[in-house]
Every structure is written in structure tokens, then in C-alpha cells.
Amino acid sequence: MDDSREQFSRKSDIENELVPFGPIGIISLKGTEEMARTIDSFLVEWRHERGVAEKDSILFKGYEKESFIVDTDCPRFRSGEGKGIINSSTRGHDLYFIVDVTNYSITYEVGGRVNHYSPDDHYQDLKRLIAAAAGRAKRMTVIMPFLYEGRQHNREGRESLDCAQMLKELVSMGVTNIITFDANDPRVQNAIPLHGFDTIAPTYQYIKALCREYDDIDFDSEHIMVISPDEPGMRRAIYFAGLLGVDMGMFYKRKDYSLKIEGENPVIANEFLGSDVSGKDVIIIDDMISSGYTVLDVARELKKMKARRVFICVSYGLFTNGLEEFDRAYEDGVIDRIFTTNLVYQPEELKNRPWHANVNMGKYMALLIDYLNHDYTISGLLTPVDRINRLLTEYKQKRNAAQ
């Protein structure tokens, strides 16, 4: 059964009892059009099939539509300045702004030269469209999978606190909820303690993708292990390992604090803490791959320790230094598969790599929007323990039947 349909077949209170907060409006910023269309198609289909008895009531006005996507634009003047335009009414709507601040494929011209969008450009466009809608929408929620300036979340010395400032700025503009995925440090929400902030780990989707790509994984402590590539990722790895009921290990970085290269202390060595990985499949879990040097070093160390297969699961595959190092690692047998979500921009050359597997988050984001629009609890989506247990049980049953 389709995973999203299964959710709604068990949630009859959503189908028949809960009144929506208002008509849904999806505002897709540049670079998120494909994700928005996927979300929209599920919402349209579910709401046509749901058969709400009182859909002609004023309380359900705008509940069923051919599309929930709002027509918007963020054109640029020749000087590089921009503006946000909303081309249809959003009065009384429950608006969801979807923004991918990492999408560098978007371009604009300044003085006859082509500029690529930076995170700052995407964030400014987001504020422009919020400003265009403010005062008319009933509620505004920002879905920002990669948290803008999320890597600059704490202060060491005389530094800016960009992420905290961004959150405060959004709520001052009227945003009620901010949803992100796998925040680098979720404590940044302390900047807006009286407003909604949710950071979601796509753990269920990782496990589902692993089960889809491989039919010979034994999810037990004798055959598989979860690895954190560094100390900050321990919380994420502990949670993942706990859901699977397997052991967890971690690497910590020995750094040279007498030097700084590009603003960071260079890593001298990666040291491992954990039980024996010999003969086991290992899952390296992290929030992102930027240059990828750290995760590849960890994968090489695990192979030296005679790990069987190395799977890497990350929310954000940025690959800022290109894909060549990963091609070589795959050819050398260092990595077996890298799972990345489509929460951020994925170039075609990445999608075509034999070592890459896409983790599609479209259905999940549609569920989030549908639940939030009904003011229904999303705790089952934030911590999907039951769904993971069902998935693993079905996977084991299929394996046993095939043997």
C-alpha cells in the first residue's frame, strides 16, 4: 500500500471531523517548483478522494482545488534589485512558503553578467513574498529544509549569529511556524521560544530507501552498525541506532589548533570509538555532505577495519567540491551507496551516478502540510516509531519468504 494513503486510512478523524484552518496556498520560491508540484498533486488527489460530507460548507471553502499553488514571481531589475509579486488573492489563506536556499542553479543578470543565486538571494526573495502576503493571509508557515545560515548557529568570539537573527526576522514579519529538516543545531530555536519551530529527521525515509535498494540487509546488532562521523552528529546516530536496535559507533577528530585553514582548524586524524565493525554493514548518518572529505575519510577507515558495506545517509548532498572524489571512492570499493534527500537541489549529474540513491520527501511534506492545515498533531510524523517497526517487520517477512 502507498505509504501516504496508509496514513490517511488510519486517520479517519482527519477525513471526517477536523475543520481546516483555512484554504491552503503553496508559495513555491525559485528552484522548488518540482517539489511544490509533487506536494500539490498529492494534496489535490487526497482531498478529492476524502469525500468530506460538509465540503460545501463555508468552513470548507477552498478545501478542494485543481491546484493549491499560488502564482507568484520575484523579478529582477537590471540593477539587480528585486521585488516579490503575488498574482492571486491569498486573503484568509493558510500559506506555506517552500524555499531551498542552497539552489545555485537559479541565475539573474546584473550589468550584462550572469549571477548565480546564493543563500542570501533566496532568503531575500522569501522575505519579499512574505511582505507581499502579510496582513492578508490567515497564517504563514515557512518550510525551509536547509536552514538558512544554520551552520552559523553559535558564537565564538566576535561573530554574527546569522541563523538566530533570521528566525527573529521571520517571526517579526508574521510567520507563525518554521519547519526545517535535520537542523545542524536544533538549539537555535531558542531564539524564538514562543513561536513554532520543528526540525525533522528523515529517519523513516532512509530506512525505507535502504529496504528498497537492498534485499539482503540484516537489521540486527550482529550484522549492522550505525556510525556518526563526528561528535556533533552523535545525537542523530544514537536515535537512528536506537530505532533499529543496533550498536552505534563514532569518530572524533583530532585537530591542529595551532593552525587555521579557511577559517577552520585542520583535522590531523579521525579516531574511532565503538565495537568491532569487521564483517558488518555500516550506516554513516550525517546531516550533510559539503566537500565530503570527512565522510570519505571515515568510510576509508571503516574499510580498513574490514567493514562489509558502507552506506551513507545524509539529508543534504551539496557536493560543493564536485563528484569526482566520490566516483573514485566508489570505484575503489570504499563506498557502496549514498542516500540523499531531494529537499535541496540535485543536479542531473548527481542523479545519474551509480553510487547515488534519491530519498524522495514529496509525500512526507504533503502529509505535513495536510496535518498542519487541520491543526492535527504531527508527533506521529516527527517520531515515526510505529511506521519504522512495521516497515522492518514487512521487510524481514519478505526476506524469510524468499529464503
Side-chain angles (χ1 to χ4, degrees):
M1 180 184 291
D2 177 86
D3 181 61
S4 300
R5 298 179 194 281
E6 183 185 7
Q7 276 289 321
F8 281 112
S9 68
R10 296 196 306 273
K11 299 294 185 185
S12 59
D13 45 1
I14 287 183
E15 295 183 21
N16 301 318
E17 296 176 14
L18 293 183
V19 175
F21 188 80
I24 287 178
I26 299 173
I27 294 184
S28 168
L29 277 88
K30 291 181 180 180
T32 66
E33 293 87 355
E34 183 178 352
M35 174 64 79
R37 286 193 295 269
T38 301
I39 294 169
D40 185 56
S41 66
F42 281 107
L43 290 174
V44 169
E45 183 179 353
W46 293 338
R47 295 196 167 197
H48 278 311
E49 291 180 349
R50 195 165 294 163
V52 176
E54 300 178 8
K55 65 181 179 181
D56 294 328
S57 164
I58 189 66
L59 296 175
F60 286 83
K61 182 180 179 181
Y63 191 76
E64 292 184 21
K65 291 183 179 180
E66 292 305 311
S67 176
F68 296 99
I69 297 175
V70 178
D71 182 19
T72 62
D73 192 16
C74 287
R76 294 270 177 170
F77 298 102
R78 298 295 291 179
S79 62
E81 299 168 283
K83 63 179 178 179
I85 304 172
I86 296 179
N87 295 312
S88 58
S89 174
T90 57
R91 189 175 298 277
H93 279 60
D94 187 15
L95 295 184
Y96 295 85
F97 297 79
I98 304 174
V99 56
D100 173 14
V101 300
T102 69
N103 193 327
Y104 56 85
S105 70
I106 310 301
T107 60
Y108 62 95
E109 284 192 14
V110 179
R113 297 183 179 182
V114 175
N115 282 4
H116 286 261
Y117 262 54
S118 71
D120 294 338
D121 291 305
H122 286 290
Y123 179 53
Q124 291 301 322
D125 277 359
L126 171 64
K127 290 194 295 181
R128 291 176 179 121
L129 289 174
I130 291 173
R136 300 168 183 84
K138 193 173 183 181
R139 181 172 64 183
M140 294 188 292
T141 298
V142 170
I143 301 178
M144 184 186 289
F146 189 99
L147 198 60
Y148 172 74
E149 296 295 347
R151 301 180 75 176
Q152 182 52 30
H153 56 83
N154 63 346
R155 173 177 285 162
E156 295 179 7
R158 294 182 179 89
E159 296 180 345
S160 58
L161 282 172
D162 296 26
C163 188
Q165 181 62 35
M166 176 271 297
L167 295 176
K168 294 176 71 174
E169 193 170 13
L170 288 183
V171 300
S172 72
M173 295 182 74
V175 173
T176 305
N177 301 307
I178 297 168
I179 296 174
T180 188
F181 289 78
D182 235 342
N184 190 264
D185 189 342
R187 291 175 296 181
V188 74
Q189 67 188 289
N190 292 335
I192 50 168
L194 301 182
H195 293 78
F197 181 97
D198 289 296
T199 176
I200 302 167
T203 311
Y204 170 77
Q205 286 76 17
Y206 290 151
I207 298 172
K208 187 176 181 180
L210 279 164
C211 294
R212 181 191 66 228
E213 296 292 328
Y214 295 91
D215 59 4
D216 61 343
I217 299 177
D218 291 300
F219 288 99
D220 57 57
S221 56
E222 292 183 10
H223 299 93
I224 201 165
M225 191 170 177
V226 176
I227 304 293
S228 171
D230 51 27
E231 308 96 301
M234 276 189 64
R235 170 185 51 84
R236 189 179 298 107
I238 290 171
Y239 177 67
F240 201 132
L243 289 173
L244 293 178
V246 301
D247 293 334
M248 171 259 178
M250 66 158 287
F251 283 83
Y252 69 94
K253 300 172 183 176
R254 283 200 292 120
K255 296 184 176 181
D256 183 354
Y257 289 99
S258 66
L259 294 175
K260 272 204 172 183
I261 300 176
E262 295 183 356
E264 296 186 357
N265 302 109
V267 176
I268 301 171
N270 286 303
E271 305 289 350
F272 180 70
L273 295 174
S275 57
D276 184 19
V277 302
S278 178
K280 294 182 180 179
D281 292 331
V282 293
I283 302 173
I284 302 174
I285 181 79
D286 207 356
D287 58 342
M288 75 174 76
I289 290 176
S290 184
S291 66
Y293 294 145
T294 297
V295 75
L296 288 179
D297 286 344
V298 166
R300 291 187 185 97
E301 291 297 321
L302 289 168
K303 280 295 186 177
K304 290 178 184 177
M305 297 160 61
K306 302 190 183 306
R308 182 187 174 210
R309 290 180 295 191
V310 175
F311 307 125
I312 301 171
C313 295
V314 295
S315 297
Y316 309 112
L318 304 181
F319 301 100
T320 55
N321 285 24
L323 306 175
E324 290 73 17
E325 286 294 324
F326 294 89
D327 292 336
R328 283 191 284 271
Y330 178 72
E331 291 167 4
D332 295 341
V334 173
I335 58 174
D336 290 85
R337 193 63 64 93
I338 297 179
F339 296 85
T340 70
T341 71
N342 62 339
L343 293 170
V344 295
Y345 172 64
Q346 294 177 323
E348 287 301 319
E349 55 265 30
L350 172 63
K351 296 178 183 178
N352 296 328
R353 288 303 201 269
W355 45 262
H356 177 258
N358 180 50
V359 179
N360 194 321
M361 299 294 293
K363 292 180 184 178
Y364 186 82
M365 292 178 71
L367 279 171
L368 278 173
I369 290 174
D370 210 12
Y371 275 40
L372 290 170
N373 180 244
H374 288 90
D375 278 338
Y376 190 79
T377 176
I378 62 171
S379 58
L381 299 179
L382 299 178
T383 53
V385 178
D386 292 339
R387 298 169 71 196
I388 290 173
N389 288 336
R390 282 195 301 272
L391 175 64
L392 293 176
T393 299
E394 292 173 4
Y395 180 79
K396 291 174 182 177
Q397 289 173 348
K398 288 180 181 177
R399 282 208 64 194
N400 293 334
Q403 289 175 353

